[in-house]
């Protein structure tokens, strides 16, 4: 179905959930519960007048807002600008999908942006409130690259940063953490590029180790191939833990699914299990998963409010369920 043929009013009426806010466009939600309240760290979409391209130049975001609500279905508060690109010394443009974490009285805000050389790196900013404002470190995390940082706090007190995205996210230009513009995506029959992970240092401002690539496997234990674009990793890493198992979820990008894989370590390997969310309106799909009062929720976005403008998206949330074997039940974003 072409975007021109979509009845957006009818589509919004059939949607699984409605936008959490409508006064600004928000996307790429990373959700956490801090102090008994749900905090959402999204991108802040704007229309910069840049034409759509595969490099993602039209996603020209300049700042971040923090959203919060006291319970699912509750009134959402927009806490205003938490960080602006003009206050990040090293960042030039494109404040893409962020995340946040808490440790020892400080909130840490992780975000990607392009540096003066046009390459994405990941920065970190700190604050004493989950709502911000946050003050950025003068330099990005040493050794960081690509996009979509996601922080996971394990039960043993260790924190891990997951990141990476191909195409506009530039992951295809790295091998063994080294950049070369001559590097490209693997051939169709070769293993797909995987996301990256590194344990964070005690001060949460640095990598405690060299980032390593995560292995995503099929049911036979073989690496997913580059041609398998309905299952292979594209961007939007997220990790959560359910009943002692690690669940790594991600976007497949050009095939528009949110999928997940499971494993026994925060480093993987992770075995593909299935889809969490079917395609939404708009080219991108990006999510997080958070437990709230014993129930699990998927935070995601679509472009139904902007009537299909792919870089003007709206954050939503919907309850997730697991079966007795721990399999996540696939959500349909729009009712038939």
């Amino acid at each position: 179905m072409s975007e021109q043929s979509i009845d957006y009013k009818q589509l919004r009426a059939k949607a699984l959930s409605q936008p959490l806010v409508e006064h600004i466009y928000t996307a790429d939600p990373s959700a956490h519960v801090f102090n008994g309240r749900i905090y959402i760290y999204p991108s802040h979409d704007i229309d910069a007048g840049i034409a759509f391209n595969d490099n993602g130049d039209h996603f020209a975001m300049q700042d971040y807002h923090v959203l919060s609500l006291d319970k699912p279905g509750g009134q959402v508060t927009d806490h205003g600008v938490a960080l602006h690109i003009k206050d990040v010394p090293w960042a030039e443009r494109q404040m893409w999908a962020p995340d946040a974490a808490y440790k020892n009285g400080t909130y840490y805000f992780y975000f990607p942006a392009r540096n003066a050389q046009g390459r994405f790196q990941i920065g970190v900013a700190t604050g004493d409130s989950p709502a911000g404002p946050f003050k950025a470190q003068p330099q990005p995390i040493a050794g960081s690259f690509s996009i979509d940082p996601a922080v996971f706090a394990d039960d043993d007190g260790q924190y891990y940063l997951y990141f990476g995205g191909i195409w506009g996210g530039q992951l295809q230009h790295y091998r063994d953490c080294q950049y070369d513009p001559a590097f490209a995506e693997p051939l169709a029959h070769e293993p797909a590029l995987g996301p990256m992970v590194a344990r964070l240092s005690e001060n949460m401002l640095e990598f405690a180790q060299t980032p390593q690539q995560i292995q995503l496997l099929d049911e036979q234990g073989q690496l997913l191939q580059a041609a398998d674009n309905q299952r292979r990793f594209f961007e939007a890493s997220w990790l959560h833990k359910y009943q002692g198992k690690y669940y790594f979820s991600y976007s497949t990008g050009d095939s528009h699914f949110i999928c997940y894989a499971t494993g026994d370590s925060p480093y993987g390997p992770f075995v593909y299990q299935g889809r969490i969310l079917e395609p939404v309106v708009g080219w991108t799909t990006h999510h997080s998963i958070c437990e709230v009062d014993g129930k699990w929720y998927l935070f995601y976005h679509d472009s139904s409010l902007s009537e299909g403008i792919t870089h003007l998206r709206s954050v939503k949330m919907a309850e997730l369920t697991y079966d007795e074997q721990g399999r996540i039940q696939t959500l349909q974003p729009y009712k038939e």
Side-chain angles (χ1 to χ4, degrees), residues 62-81:
Q62 298 176 349
D63 65 14
Y64 296 103
H65 286 230
V66 178
L67 309 177
S68 74
L69 60 164
D70 61 352
K71 61 183 178 180
Q75 183 175 349
V76 179
T77 299
D78 175 359
H79 295 276
V81 175

Side-chain angles (χ1 to χ4, degrees), residues 105-155:
T106 299
Y107 294 89
Y108 297 86
F109 183 75
Y110 299 87
F111 61 95
R114 288 185 190 259
N115 61 22
Q117 289 73 45
R119 285 158 55 182
F120 274 105
Q121 288 192 272
I122 296 168
V124 56
T126 58
D128 54 16
S129 166
F134 300 106
K135 180 176 176 55
Q137 296 292 301
Q139 297 295 329
I141 297 173
S144 68
F145 55 94
S146 197
I147 60 168
D148 293 355
V151 189
F152 172 71
D154 209 348
D155 302 329

Side-chain angles (χ1 to χ4, degrees), residues 4 20 22 78 80 97 108 132 135-136 142 144 182 192 214 232 238 261 276-277 279 292 316-317 322 326 330:
Q4 289 77 16
L20 293 181
E22 297 188 5
D78 175 359
Y108 297 86
K135 180 176 176 55
S144 68
I214 291 170
R232 65 90 171 90
W238 189 260
I276 297 174
L277 183 68
V292 183
K316 300 181 166 191
M317 66 180 291
Y322 302 79
T330 306

Side-chain angles (χ1 to χ4, degrees), residues 5 10 31 39 59-60 71 90 125 129 142 158 191 204 241 259 268 279 297 299-300 306 320 324 330:
S5 67
Q10 184 181 67
Y39 287 87
F59 296 104
K71 61 183 178 180
W90 62 269
S129 166
Q158 297 296 325
M204 300 288 282
K241 208 169 184 179
C259 295
Y297 292 87
F299 295 78
Y300 65 105
S306 67
L320 272 184
E324 292 181 354
T330 306

Side-chain angles (χ1 to χ4, degrees), residues 32 38 43 50 56 71 93 96 124 136 148 166 191 309 320 328:
H32 299 273
I38 305 165
S43 305
I50 300 172
K71 61 183 178 180
R93 57 190 171 100
W96 283 9
V124 56
D148 293 355
I166 60 175
I309 299 175
L320 272 184
I328 297 174

Side-chain angles (χ1 to χ4, degrees), residues 52 84 97 114 146 154 201 223 225 272 276 279 282 300-301 330:
F52 178 97
H84 195 284
R114 288 185 190 259
S146 197
D154 209 348
S201 62
L223 289 167
Q225 294 187 335
Y272 180 87
I276 297 174
Y300 65 105
H301 68 234
T330 306

Side-chain angles (χ1 to χ4, degrees), residues 172-300:
Q172 69 273 11
H173 296 314
Y174 288 85
R175 296 293 186 276
D176 298 322
C177 301
Q178 299 300 310
Y179 175 83
D180 188 329
F183 292 145
E185 284 186 79
L187 299 176
H189 65 279
E190 294 177 334
L193 292 173
M196 306 299 294
V197 61
R199 183 168 50 82
L200 288 168
S201 62
E202 285 297 311
N203 67 12
M204 300 288 282
L205 304 176
E206 304 165 309
F207 291 147
Q209 57 189 178
T210 301
Q212 62 187 64
Q213 185 172 243
I214 291 170
Q215 293 186 335
L216 295 176
L217 310 177
D218 64 17
E219 300 85 342
Q220 286 74 46
Q222 300 300 308
L223 289 167
L224 294 179
Q225 294 187 335
D228 190 358
N229 70 334
Q230 298 208 357
R231 298 193 297 175
R232 65 90 171 90
F233 171 81
F234 188 98
E235 62 187 0
S237 298
W238 189 260
L239 195 80
H240 75 282
K241 208 169 184 179
Y242 178 76
Q243 294 186 346
K245 201 81 164 175
Y246 295 91
Y247 285 65
F248 181 82
S249 48
Y250 57 97
S251 168
T252 62
D254 56 339
S255 52
H256 316 297
F257 301 116
I258 297 294
C259 295
Y260 77 105
T262 59
D264 298 317
S265 163
Y267 295 105
F270 298 102
V271 178
Y272 180 87
Q273 300 295 330
R275 297 176 187 168
I276 297 174
L277 183 68
E278 296 290 342
V280 298
V281 169
W283 197 94
T284 70
T285 187
H286 193 124
H287 73 298
S288 61
I289 295 170
C290 183
E291 185 179 13
V292 183
D293 294 332
K295 293 184 176 181
W296 290 87
Y297 292 87
L298 178 75
F299 295 78
Y300 65 105

